[in-house]
Amino acid sequence: MKRKLRIRTIRGKILLSIVIVIVLCVVFSAFIVSQVVKDRLGEKYEVDKMAATESLSYSLAPVLDLYDYKQVERIITSSLTYENIAYITVFDRGGILIVSAAEQNVSSEDLDIEKYNITSNDRVFGSIEVGFSRKYIDEQIQTTTVALISGLAGFLILVGLALFTFINRSVINPLGVFTRTVKEMDSENLALRVNIHSEDELGTLAGSFNRMAGDLEKSHRALKKAHSELELKVEERTKELVEINKQLIGASKHKSQFLANMSHELRTPLNSIIGYTKLMLDGLEGDINEEQQKDLQTVYTNSKHLLELINGLLDLSRIEAGKTVLSYGTFTISDLLSEVIPAIEQLAREKGLTLTYSMAPNIGHPYADQAKTKQVLMNILGNAVKFTNEGSIKLNVVETDKDFAFSVTDTGIGIKEEDLGVIFDSFKQVGPAQIAGYEGTGLGLAISKQFIEMQGGRIWAESELGKGSTFTFTLPKKKVASS
Amino acid sequence: MEKEGAGKKILVVDDREDSRRLVWKVLGYRGYEVIEAGTGEDAINMAQSELPALILMDIRLPGGIDGLEATRRIKAIPQLAHIPILAMTASVRPEDMHQALNEGCSGFVSKPIDIDELPKQVAEHIARASSTA
């Protein structure tokens, strides 16, 4: 599996570039050098060949003139010592071989043959044939070329090394310093600085970087400072809030206590007022005449009214103080009705009205605040009796899959359309003079509305003036908490 | 005709004299013998010495021992534990009523007292207590 060679450092890249350049230079120059050497030495070789042959023939001319064939042999034998001469052959005037001398181990293919006439003063004495060995010259060319190229390569390598060292020192090492310093800087080590002070771009870069680091350090410090200041402020605020909270809780407890006290204080005198008046009215203190009866009755009725007002006020203020707590439980509709119906039945009978009620026999059990629901039901039924002079009052309880709905229908005096929304407001009593005789606190429906809405239900009225009204409230079905 | 309360002693505990007198009148006319205590301590002492058939206890009493504490202590005394105690309270808060019941009250009457209801409740609780005795 071949893996791609990736150079990861700038040093490596530069080194590689230098090496490639050197190699290319060497290859290129090798090519040129070998050509040049070949040409030059080749040329020289040609010239040397000619010159050697010429000088030989020149020196042989007088010897041949004297027919000193021994001398000829001596000359050519000694000339043979020249490394590039392979053989020498001398012919006489008639072309007959006189002397020949040759080196050992000569192959005829590698020979360049020069022929020259041996002459002097235009007199031909013979001819000479010299065989030059090309092997020698080839060897020469080769060694020269190799030497030159090696020298050149060596020189280039040295230059390359020097260049690399220089680049190393001025660029790569500073970069390394830069890289290492920057790596070591994190949010903890913001105090580090790049230690490069050269006057070139790297120095500038380092300077700018150091400045930036300095700024970063400063803002980091400022941020830390702001952070701890903020934390201090938050702590302070929290302390303040804890204090205020304590005070509020204290005040709230105060209010609760106040309401509880008020409840007791207001009711206690009424206890005596209502109690003693009733005692006398019932004749338990002795007989009373008709006028005394009427007077006492007035006191009694008004006291009861006052009690109702106080109860209503206390209920409302408890609701407003958020002190009314719902106390949920499962109860049966029949239990609820049994608490309410008898008293209402009595009131209805006194006025000659009929009271009927209906609910499905297998109706479910609501999970709600029984006491408050009872209070609401009493209120609505009581109102129905109060505002009906003849006819009937019907209570109907229905279960849907979402809630339980209680509706009370009467054949009473009815309510005007525009008043239907208003009647649930505190202290609002509706009606013209015709119903001025109907006392009430004006609080009952307001409290009923609160009690129903606190439990997540709705309450509303429908009516036709002069014909009757229907008041309905719903109690939503809640999931019974598993216990 | 014998009055319903003949021979039965009722202890009424309330710090206000006219409240006590009202009860004394209402129950007295029906034949009950009504004895009174104005503080928690008096209530405990009188319960021990008089052994009433029923105690009407106002929940809020001044002084160290309030109605609930007196109830607790009376119920702790073996000879008195059987006596039914009705709490009289002006509060309508369910939590107060629950607390009264938890402390040992057999029931409660709310103030202002309904002078028709009160004798009925008293008779009922006495009857209930004697039937379980």
Side-chain angles (χ1 to χ4, degrees):
Chain A
M1 186 169 53
K2 243 188 166 179
R3 249 193 27 176
K4 257 196 174 163
L5 176 67
R6 269 188 296 186
I7 311 267
R8 286 203 182 85
T9 64
I10 290 192
R11 174 183 284 130
K13 288 180 186 161
I14 290 183
L15 189 63
L16 183 68
S17 319
I18 291 180
V19 163
I20 289 177
V21 165
I22 288 178
V23 164
L24 284 175
C25 283
V26 165
V27 165
F28 183 64
S29 51
F31 185 68
I32 293 186
V33 159
S34 72
Q35 279 301 114
V36 167
V37 164
K38 206 154 135 198
D39 284 353
R40 287 294 184 82
L41 284 185
E43 226 184 86
K44 185 162 177 285
Y45 173 61
E46 293 298 315
V47 168
D48 281 352
K49 273 195 298 187
M50 285 266 291
T53 313
E54 259 187 60
S55 94
L56 260 177
S57 78
Y58 184 73
S59 53
L60 279 176
V63 176
L64 272 179
D65 196 17
L66 293 171
Y67 294 95
D68 188 349
Y69 291 159
K70 274 267 193 291
Q71 183 66 5
V72 169
E73 196 179 338
R74 251 183 263 129
I75 290 174
I76 62 176
T77 316
S78 75
S79 296
L80 214 56
T81 57
Y82 287 114
E83 288 183 23
N84 49 359
I85 296 178
Y87 73 89
I88 308 174
T89 311
V90 179
F91 300 93
D92 71 6
R93 222 183 273 134
I96 312 233
L97 185 144
I98 304 175
V99 180
S100 178
E103 288 265 353
Q104 255 73 320
N105 314 326
V106 161
S107 94
S108 56
E109 310 135 8
D110 285 342
L111 295 179
D112 290 328
I113 301 171
E114 287 291 318
K115 295 194 181 123
Y116 208 71
N117 283 333
I118 304 175
T119 62
S120 171
N121 299 332
D122 294 328
R123 282 169 66 201
V124 178
F125 296 104
S127 64
I128 185 170
E129 190 178 299
V130 184
F132 291 91
S133 159
R134 221 180 291 142
K135 197 165 83 174
Y136 175 67
I137 193 69
D138 284 347
E139 270 175 31
Q140 278 236 302
I141 290 175
Q142 209 174 327
T143 32
T144 316
T145 310
V146 168
L148 274 178
I149 289 174
S150 309
L152 192 65
F155 175 71
L156 283 176
I157 285 174
L158 280 175
V159 167
L161 268 173
L163 184 67
F164 182 69
T165 308
F166 174 71
I167 292 180
N168 212 25
R169 200 172 302 164
S170 58
V171 175
I172 293 173
N173 283 345
L175 273 179
V177 167
F178 212 116
T179 313
R180 266 195 310 280
T181 312
V182 170
K183 251 194 189 175
E184 255 180 74
M185 286 173 99
D186 53 24
S187 54
E188 299 309 310
N189 278 341
L190 278 178
L192 287 177
R193 295 288 178 270
V194 178
N195 201 8
I196 298 171
H197 304 291
S198 49
E199 281 187 18
D200 56 12
E201 288 88 336
L202 280 175
T204 314
L205 188 65
S208 308
F209 181 83
N210 288 341
R211 247 200 320 283
M212 245 175 46
D215 287 341
L216 195 68
E217 212 185 345
K218 253 191 248 166
S219 55
H220 191 80
R221 225 177 286 149
L223 193 71
K224 264 194 182 172
K225 188 161 167 241
H227 185 83
S228 37
E229 270 177 24
L230 195 70
E231 284 216 359
L232 266 173
K233 280 209 185 123
V234 167
E235 246 190 74
E236 261 181 53
R237 266 312 150 75
T238 309
K239 274 199 208 141
E240 275 178 34
L241 282 172
V242 166
E243 264 308 306
I244 291 174
N245 201 33
K246 272 197 213 155
Q247 285 177 14
L248 280 172
I249 290 176
S252 174
K253 280 200 192 143
H254 224 66
K255 211 173 180 182
S256 273
Q257 196 56 39
F258 178 72
L259 281 172
N261 289 347
M262 286 310 292
S263 171
H264 188 255
E265 295 305 319
L266 286 173
R267 284 204 183 92
T268 306
L270 278 171
N271 188 37
S272 297
I273 295 173
I274 293 170
Y276 282 105
T277 311
K278 192 72 177 5
L279 258 183
M280 289 191 275
L281 266 175
D282 284 352
L284 290 171
E285 299 283 37
D287 290 331
I288 49 174
N289 63 40
E290 211 179 305
E291 284 306 306
Q292 286 171 320
Q293 170 112 357
K294 275 200 212 149
D295 294 344
L296 284 170
Q297 184 62 45
T298 306
V299 174
Y300 183 69
T301 312
N302 278 282
S303 315
K304 291 224 91 166
H305 188 90
L306 184 62
L307 181 65
E308 266 178 56
L309 272 169
I310 290 173
N311 287 342
L313 268 174
L314 284 168
D315 270 345
L316 267 181
S317 42
R318 275 193 23 248
I319 291 170
E320 237 144 85
K323 282 291 150 197
T324 301
V325 169
L326 289 176
S327 118
Y328 273 75
T330 311
F331 56 91
T332 62
I333 306 272
S334 33
D335 273 353
L336 179 70
L337 293 188
S338 66
E339 287 178 37
V340 167
I341 296 291
I344 301 295
E345 231 169 10
Q346 169 116 9
L347 289 172
R349 218 179 302 133
E350 282 171 16
K351 281 183 95 172
L353 310 166
T354 52
L355 171 67
T356 57
Y357 55 92
S358 73
M359 65 177 187
N362 58 345
I363 199 167
H365 304 319
Y367 179 67
D369 186 323
Q370 183 179 5
K372 297 197 173 57
T373 308
K374 176 183 166 190
Q375 196 169 331
V376 172
L377 199 51
M378 283 290 269
N379 176 238
I380 292 184
L381 283 168
N383 283 346
V385 172
K386 206 194 307 187
F387 290 98
T388 305
N389 295 321
E390 54 184 10
S392 60
I393 294 161
K394 270 194 279 232
L395 165 65
N396 198 29
V397 188
V398 161
E399 179 183 1
T400 72
D401 47 67
K402 272 203 237 147
D403 53 33
F404 290 89
F406 297 72
S407 43
V408 174
T409 309
D410 64 56
T411 56
I413 61 172
I415 306 165
K416 264 194 264 185
E417 176 123 11
E418 55 259 33
D419 292 336
L420 280 174
V422 169
I423 49 176
F424 290 99
D425 290 347
S426 317
F427 296 116
K428 287 261 167 55
Q429 281 179 290
V430 295
Q434 73 174 101
I435 58 160
Y438 298 94
E439 310 124 12
T441 58
L443 289 174
L445 281 177
I447 293 173
S448 296
K449 181 170 183 233
Q450 290 281 14
F451 280 175
I452 291 300
E453 285 180 359
M454 275 171 82
Q455 299 184 63
R458 290 176 305 132
I459 183 167
W460 69 94
E462 293 150 311
S463 180
E464 207 183 317
L465 201 60
K467 295 264 177 69
S469 325
T470 301
F471 279 72
T472 314
F473 68 87
T474 63
L475 289 176
K477 281 188 177 173
K478 287 200 185 333
K479 281 215 185 92
V480 180
S482 49
S483 45
Chain B
M1 184 179 65
E2 215 195 48
K3 301 238 179 89
E4 69 197 65
K8 300 196 184 108
K9 245 187 254 184
I10 307 287
L11 172 61
V12 59
V13 187
D14 196 312
D15 59 312
R16 292 181 59 118
E17 198 262 321
D18 48 322
S19 300
R20 293 196 304 264
R21 194 160 63 92
L22 184 60
V23 172
W24 174 75
K25 280 187 186 279
V26 170
L27 291 179
Y29 281 127
R30 284 179 166 74
Y32 292 93
E33 187 189 335
V34 180
I35 49 179
E36 306 173 22
T39 64
E41 286 102 344
D42 283 350
I44 299 168
N45 294 335
M46 294 210 67
Q48 280 184 297
S49 55
E50 300 289 331
L51 298 172
L54 181 137
I55 302 177
L56 285 165
M57 181 81 76
D58 183 16
I59 291 301
R60 298 170 69 109
L61 295 171
I65 305 179
D66 72 350
L68 285 176
E69 178 61 30
T71 304
R72 247 177 263 137
R73 293 204 194 173
I74 290 173
K75 284 293 179 187
I77 300 173
Q79 309 95 291
L80 308 178
H82 68 279
I83 304 177
I85 303 182
L86 291 182
M88 296 194 290
T89 172
S91 165
V92 295
R93 297 192 300 184
E95 54 261 36
D96 292 335
M97 300 183 192
H98 280 307
Q99 201 188 12
L101 292 173
N102 283 342
E103 295 295 349
C105 295
S106 320
F108 46 84
V109 286
S110 41
K111 284 200 202 172
I113 292 174
D114 184 330
I115 68 170
D116 296 321
E117 266 298 303
L118 183 65
K120 281 194 214 153
Q121 294 264 10
V122 167
E124 204 184 294
H125 278 90
I126 291 181
R128 223 186 280 167
S130 55
S131 66
T132 54

